[in-house]
């Protein structure tokens, strides 16, 4: 299937550590987006990276995109307890414009 | 918050009931979406509206009926649902359907079908 597959699916880290999660996909994309979801709430957009971009930053977030490997990574630096959430990658398919979401990656930051 | 509101936040309904979910966006966006989120499954896109016209219907059973009376409001009418329809229903909007735009999500309606 096209939707992104996040890895690892669950991650538990100490506050202050960095958290890295990966996303892989299968076909050509226009862009890849990362979203965060706190328990039982809606998704919040974090970063959008276009297919011709390799890296983007936003505050403590760093996203990379490798279209040759069809993969992306999200790095959260100096994690905080408030970063505890599920993180989803979503790919906007080339020629389709719809977003295909992965199952999500549960991150727990221990104070 | 995100500028997208949903009501009710929680809904319990029997299989023979009829209910409606409401979504409202205050962002001036042209596209609106309904998603279904079930445990341990990827987010499922149900319907897409662009400028009040339904442009996508992803093989959703007819017991789910969307309505978009104007570009700010989106409804999901529910009737004779099944227990497997219990899920978190998320509404989202984006500037336009075409182009690289992020989506803004509402808080969701937690639906339980008994």
């Amino acid at each position: 299937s096209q939707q992104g597959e996040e890895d690892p699916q669950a991650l538990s880290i100490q506050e202050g550590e960095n958290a890295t999660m990966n996303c892989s996909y299968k076909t050509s994309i226009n862009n890849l987006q990362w979203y965060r979801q706190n328990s039982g709430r809606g998704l919040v957009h974090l970063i959008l990276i276009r297919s011709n971009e390799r890296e983007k930053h936003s505050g403590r977030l760093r996203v990379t995109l490798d279209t040759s490997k069809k993969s992306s990574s999200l790095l959260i630096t100096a994690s905080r307890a408030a970063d505890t959430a599920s993180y989803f990658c979503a790919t906007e398919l080339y020629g389709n414009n719809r977003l295909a979401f992965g199952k999500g990656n549960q991150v727990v930051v221990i104070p | 918050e995100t500028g997208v509101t949903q009501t009710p936040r929680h809904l319990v309904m029997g299989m023979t009931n009829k209910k409606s979910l409401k979504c409202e966006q205050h962002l001036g966006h042209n596209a609106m979406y309904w998603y279904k989120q079930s445990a341990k499954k990827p987010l499922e896109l149900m319907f897409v509206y662009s400028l009040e016209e339904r442009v996508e219907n992803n093989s959703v059973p007819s017991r789910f009926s969307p309505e978009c009376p104007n570009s700010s409001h989106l409804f999901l009418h529910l009737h004779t649902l099944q227990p497997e329809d219990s899920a978190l229903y998320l509404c989202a909007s984006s500037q336009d359907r075409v182009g690289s735009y992020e989506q803004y999500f509402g808080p969701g309606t937690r639906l339980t079908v008994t």
Side-chain angles (χ1 to χ4, degrees):
Chain A
S1 62
Q2 167 57 28
Q3 63 256 27
E5 304 256 345
E6 295 92 348
D7 170 59
Q9 293 200 334
L11 181 64
S12 184
I13 58 174
Q14 294 288 330
E15 197 166 32
E17 293 181 340
N18 295 342
T20 300
M21 57 207 91
N22 303 300
C23 171
S24 59
Y25 58 93
K26 294 184 179 174
T27 62
S28 296
I29 61 172
N30 287 330
N31 64 70
L32 185 144
Q33 305 181 28
W34 285 92
Y35 289 80
R36 184 189 76 230
Q37 183 180 35
N38 292 94
S39 180
R41 303 297 300 273
L43 280 70
V44 175
H45 179 262
L46 297 176
I47 285 187
L48 182 155
I49 185 164
R50 291 179 169 75
S51 59
N52 61 353
E53 298 176 312
R54 292 298 166 256
E55 187 171 315
K56 284 191 86 168
H57 298 256
S58 176
R60 293 182 296 111
L61 306 179
R62 172 177 170 256
V63 167
T64 63
L65 178 64
D66 187 333
T67 52
S68 67
K69 295 181 179 178
K70 292 185 169 59
S71 68
S72 173
S73 68
L74 170 66
L75 168 67
I76 305 173
T77 59
S79 63
R80 304 168 181 169
D83 294 328
T84 294
S86 292
Y87 292 83
F88 295 82
C89 72
T91 50
E92 183 181 296
L93 309 181
Y94 179 75
N96 187 309
N97 300 118
R98 59 182 294 190
L99 281 183
F101 285 82
K103 294 182 183 180
N105 180 319
Q106 176 66 42
V107 174
V108 175
V109 180
I110 302 166
Chain B
E1 281 288 329
T2 63
V4 180
T5 58
Q6 289 186 245
T7 55
R9 295 293 307 277
H10 300 272
L11 178 62
V12 178
M13 59 185 290
M15 293 167 61
T16 58
N17 291 160
K18 290 185 180 180
K19 296 286 184 184
S20 295
L21 309 185
K22 179 182 176 182
C23 175
E24 186 172 357
Q25 58 99 358
H26 311 275
L27 302 168
H29 288 169
N30 293 324
M32 295 186 77
Y33 311 80
W34 278 116
Y35 288 91
K36 175 184 179 183
Q37 186 177 34
S38 305
K40 301 190 190 307
K41 292 176 69 175
L43 211 60
E44 298 174 52
L45 178 64
M46 300 175 72
F47 300 103
V48 181
Y49 276 82
S50 177
L51 295 171
E52 303 156 42
E53 178 185 349
R54 190 191 311 179
V55 294
E56 193 160 342
N57 175 346
N58 289 304
S59 304
V60 179
S62 60
R63 57 185 184 269
F64 294 91
S65 174
E67 178 190 1
C68 187
N70 55 62
S71 59
S72 299
H73 294 85
L74 186 65
F75 295 89
L76 188 63
H77 304 299
L78 317 171
H79 64 97
T80 58
L81 295 191
Q82 304 297 311
E84 60 265 29
D85 297 323
S86 298
L88 182 67
Y89 287 84
L90 293 164
C91 173
S93 70
S94 64
Q95 183 64 53
D96 280 295
R97 186 178 71 89
V98 177
S100 294
Y101 296 105
E102 62 266 33
Q103 294 187 12
Y104 293 77
F105 284 79
T109 295
R110 173 67 63 186
L111 174 66
T112 303
V113 181
T114 60

